[in-house]
Amino acid sequence: MDKATYERLEKDVAAVKNDISALTDQITDALNSFAGTAKKQARRGYKQARANVDSAVDDMSERGSAVMDAAQDAAYSIEETLEDVIQQRPLATVGLALGLGFLIGVTWRR
């Protein structure tokens, strides 16, 4: 092998090394860019999921509050109705209470 061929071979090897280095840098940049994009998408997905959970909790809280208010209103209405019945018919109410107590006692003994 003559000196000129050897020098050309050295230049070609150096050029291949430079190309491999540049390609490695490009691949590294692409992977870093992909990882950055994936992180951003993961953060965006997490924030969206968190917002959905917060919204669902708020919605359930509002619904629970509405149900609780309705239950309190119903209990208050029943209480008022019972008070009216007791005041208007005290003897009938006492008789009804005694009768229910008797039925519960008989049922319980069996």
Side-chain angles (χ1 to χ4, degrees), residues 89-106:
R89 298 183 184 151
L91 293 178
T93 305
V94 170
L96 180 63
L98 287 173
L100 285 174
F102 177 76
L103 288 175
I104 291 172
V106 169

Side-chain angles (χ1 to χ4, degrees), residues 21-39:
S21 177
L23 183 59
T24 301
D25 290 343
Q26 288 175 352
I27 289 172
T28 301
D29 290 343
L31 288 175
N32 287 336
S33 175
F34 176 74
T37 302
K39 282 182 185 177

Side-chain angles (χ1 to χ4, degrees), residues 84-95:
D84 289 345
V85 168
I86 291 170
Q87 286 177 355
Q88 291 173 2
R89 298 183 184 151
L91 293 178
T93 305
V94 170

Side-chain angles (χ1 to χ4, degrees), residues 13-92:
V13 169
V16 168
K17 282 183 180 179
N18 288 337
D19 289 345
I20 290 173
S21 177
L23 183 59
T24 301
D25 290 343
Q26 288 175 352
I27 289 172
T28 301
D29 290 343
L31 288 175
N32 287 336
S33 175
F34 176 74
T37 302
K39 282 182 185 177
K40 287 178 186 175
Q41 288 177 345
R43 283 187 192 135
R44 210 174 295 131
Y46 171 76
K47 287 179 182 176
Q48 183 64 39
R50 179 66 186 214
N52 289 345
V53 167
D54 289 345
S55 175
V57 167
D58 289 344
D59 188 43
M60 285 189 290
S61 177
E62 288 175 10
R63 288 182 185 180
S65 178
V67 167
M68 193 64 145
D69 289 344
Q72 287 175 346
D73 290 345
Y76 182 70
S77 176
I78 290 170
E79 182 182 343
E80 284 182 336
T81 302
L82 285 175
E83 284 179 6
D84 289 345
V85 168
I86 291 170
Q87 286 177 355
Q88 291 173 2
R89 298 183 184 151
L91 293 178

